[in-house]
Amino acid sequence: MKALVLGINTRPVVNSLKKLGFYVYSVSYYAPEDLNADKKYYLINPLSHGRLRENYDENKLIEIADNLADEVDYIFITSGVFEFENSKIPRWDNIVGNEPKKINEISNKYKTYKKLQNLGFNIPETKKINNKTQLYGFLEEFKSCILKPIYGSGGGIIKLESNDFYIDKIINEIKFPIIAQEYIGGKSFSANFIGNTFITFNKQIIIKGMYAGNLTPYINLPKKFIKIFSEAIESFELKGMNGIDFLIKYNEPYIVDINPRILGTYETIEMSASQNLARVLLNNNYAKDFKPKEMYIKRILFAKEKIIANISKRDFVYDIPKKNAVIERGEPIATVIAKENIKSIINDVYRECAEYEERKENRENI
C-alpha cells in the first residue's frame, strides 16, 4: 500500500504509516533528519532554513502532490495547505479525512465564526475590520482585543491594548481586512475528535501568539464540553481528525478555532494511547478504543538568536535539523516530547546550538 502525506511538517504521520508497512511519499516544507519517508519532496534548504513566512509556497506543495495523487492509495493532509484565500483546490478521491474544499471553507475564520454564532455556539465578540477607524472603535469598546488573519491556522495572532504606548505604530502596519475579537484571558485548550468520537482534551502552549506545543491528555474539564463540541463537528459535517480550540469564560467554552485536518497534537495523542494513530485514521471504528492515558508534553523550540544547529539524534527529541544547519532567529529548531524532565531536555537541545555570529567570528580568526 502507498500513502502520501502533505503539509508543512509531515514527519509524525509519515513515521506512523511506515510502522504499518506503507510505502510513503512526503510532500512538505520541512525535511528533518528523522523523517522516514521513502520519497521526500520538500521546499526548505536543509543547510540554510531561511524564514518560513518568506519562503513557504503552498502552490508548489499542492502541485507536487497532485502529480503523485494517482500513484497512492491514501492522502493524509496536515497543516499549512488549503488554508488560504487563493488556495488551489484539487479533486482527490483518496483522502483520509476532510477534502481540500472543506478545509478551505473552514479556514475562512470569519465565515466559520458567523456560522458558529448562528448555530448558537459561544464565540468571543468578533468583527471583521476593514480599516483603522473600525479598529480604533473596536478597541474603544473592548479596551483590549485579539487580531487574527481571516484565513489560516497555527497562530499569527496579535494582542492589542488601547493604552499600548506603540498602538498607533502597530495599527499603521496592519494589513486590512482582519478579524478582531474581544480578549478572553486564561489558558488555551483544544478538544480532539476522530469522526464524531471524542479522543481527548489538551492544554495548549502558546508563545507570542503562536502554537508551541501542548499537554495531552488534559483531564480537568467538564464532560458537558464534549457534547457541545461533538455538535459542532456534526454541524460542519467534518470527517477524520479534527480539533476545536477554545477558551473558558464564565465556566462555558468559547470556540476560537476549528482545525479540520490532522493536528499538532497527533504525536502526543499517539504516545499517550500507545497505539498507532494512522491505523485509527484509516478505520475510524478503532477510535472508540483509542484513549490517551499517560500525560505527555510537547514543546516546539524556537531559535533565540540566529544559530547553527548540531543536535544529536536521541530519545524525546524530534524534527532534528541537518548537522550545521543555519536557523534564523524565531524559526523552529526541533520538537521535544516527553513525560518528565522536559526542561532538562530542552536545555540540552539549546546547548547543542551555537550562535551564528560567534561561530562566524571563530572561523574568521582561524
Side-chain angles (χ1 to χ4, degrees):
M1 300 287 278
K2 293 183 178 180
L4 184 153
V5 187
L6 171 64
I8 288 179
N9 182 5
T10 59
R11 178 196 53 78
V13 185
V14 165
N15 291 1
S16 287
L17 287 165
K18 286 301 300 175
K19 290 173 184 176
L20 294 178
F22 276 79
Y23 185 97
V24 186
Y25 297 86
S26 169
V27 181
S28 60
Y29 178 78
Y30 292 109
E33 292 293 280
D34 49 334
L35 173 67
N36 295 330
D38 297 281
K39 294 284 284 185
K40 304 175 187 178
Y41 302 86
Y42 50 86
L43 301 184
I44 201 167
N45 178 342
L47 285 173
S48 182
H49 285 201
R51 297 193 178 279
L52 173 66
R53 288 185 181 277
E54 296 171 4
N55 299 328
Y56 182 63
D57 188 338
E58 176 202 37
N59 288 333
K60 285 185 179 178
L61 293 185
I62 294 173
E63 183 180 346
I64 294 168
D66 201 29
N67 289 333
L68 296 168
D70 290 339
E71 297 182 26
V72 300
D73 300 286
Y74 302 105
I75 297 175
F76 294 77
I77 299 172
T78 67
S79 67
V81 286
F82 313 119
E83 298 175 354
F84 305 95
E85 184 174 6
N86 298 315
S87 294
K88 294 180 180 177
I89 309 298
R91 294 182 178 180
W92 298 329
D93 59 6
N94 49 354
I95 292 170
V96 177
N98 296 303
E99 297 179 357
K101 183 179 179 182
K102 174 67 75 173
I103 295 172
N104 189 251
E105 289 172 356
I106 303 294
S107 296
N108 184 322
K109 294 179 188 292
Y110 185 67
K111 287 185 177 179
T112 297
Y113 289 139
K114 296 307 289 184
K115 182 173 181 177
L116 284 167
Q117 191 174 42
N118 291 337
L119 290 168
F121 295 100
N122 291 328
I123 64 167
E125 287 292 332
T126 302
K127 186 175 181 180
K128 183 179 178 182
I129 303 294
N130 295 302
N131 53 54
K132 290 189 286 186
T133 302
Q134 290 180 347
L135 182 51
Y136 279 115
F138 194 89
L139 266 176
E140 185 176 348
E141 181 179 359
F142 292 98
K143 307 307 176 189
S144 62
C145 72
I146 298 294
L147 300 181
K148 302 178 178 181
I150 291 176
Y151 277 85
S153 67
I157 65 176
I158 302 169
K159 182 185 176 186
L160 272 187
E161 296 188 8
S162 57
N163 60 357
D164 193 316
F165 185 79
Y166 297 103
I167 188 71
D168 293 330
K169 182 178 184 294
I170 296 169
I171 289 178
N172 283 332
E173 293 175 354
I174 291 172
K175 292 181 180 179
F176 298 97
I178 199 165
I179 293 171
Q181 287 187 326
E182 66 167 316
Y183 173 71
I184 298 176
K187 299 171 183 176
S188 298
F189 303 98
S190 69
N192 296 169
F193 289 78
I194 296 176
N196 200 29
T197 301
F198 172 73
I199 301 299
T200 186
F201 289 120
N202 312 278
K203 180 183 175 185
Q204 295 187 319
I205 300 170
I206 307 295
I207 298 176
K208 296 181 179 180
M210 297 293 291
Y211 169 76
N214 51 271
L215 284 71
T216 302
Y218 190 81
I219 59 175
N220 299 321
L221 290 170
K223 289 186 177 179
K224 69 175 184 178
F225 288 7
I226 297 173
K227 183 175 184 298
I228 293 170
F229 298 140
S230 180
E231 289 172 357
I233 295 290
E234 287 184 0
S235 297
F236 284 87
E237 299 179 327
L238 299 178
K239 299 185 294 185
M241 190 178 196
N242 296 278
I244 295 179
D245 297 345
F246 64 98
L247 303 167
I248 298 175
K249 179 181 176 182
Y250 306 132
N251 296 317
E252 294 293 333
Y254 279 65
I255 297 175
V256 294
D257 230 335
I258 297 178
N259 296 304
R261 38 75 185 162
I262 293 171
L263 307 164
T265 53
Y266 182 98
E267 215 160 6
T268 49
I269 290 174
E270 186 174 65
M271 290 180 182
S272 179
S274 298
Q275 296 183 55
N276 190 297
L277 184 48
R279 175 176 172 266
V280 182
L281 296 183
L282 286 163
N283 185 342
N284 290 180
N285 291 328
Y286 294 127
K288 293 178 182 178
D289 299 318
F290 187 89
K291 294 299 175 188
K293 301 179 183 74
E294 297 181 282
M295 189 183 77
Y296 278 80
I297 304 171
K298 170 184 175 180
R299 273 281 275 111
I300 301 171
L301 308 187
F302 297 92
K304 299 175 182 178
E305 303 291 341
K306 186 175 182 179
I307 57 104
I308 297 175
N310 188 14
I311 300 168
S312 56
K313 286 188 177 182
R314 61 185 182 280
D315 292 341
F316 314 119
V317 182
Y318 305 88
D319 299 317
I320 298 169
K322 198 172 186 66
K323 186 176 180 180
N324 293 324
V326 176
I327 301 176
E328 302 292 331
R329 179 179 181 178
E331 295 296 307
I333 301 171
T335 302
V336 172
I337 305 175
K339 291 188 288 187
E340 56 190 8
N341 300 323
I342 193 160
K343 288 184 179 179
S344 174
I345 301 166
I346 289 171
N347 290 334
D348 287 345
V349 172
Y350 276 121
R351 275 193 287 269
E352 291 182 313
C353 301
E355 288 189 24
Y356 178 80
E357 292 301 327
E358 182 179 321
R359 181 74 68 86
K360 182 181 176 183
E361 287 176 12
N362 291 340
R363 288 199 305 268
E364 289 174 349
N365 290 331
I366 293 175

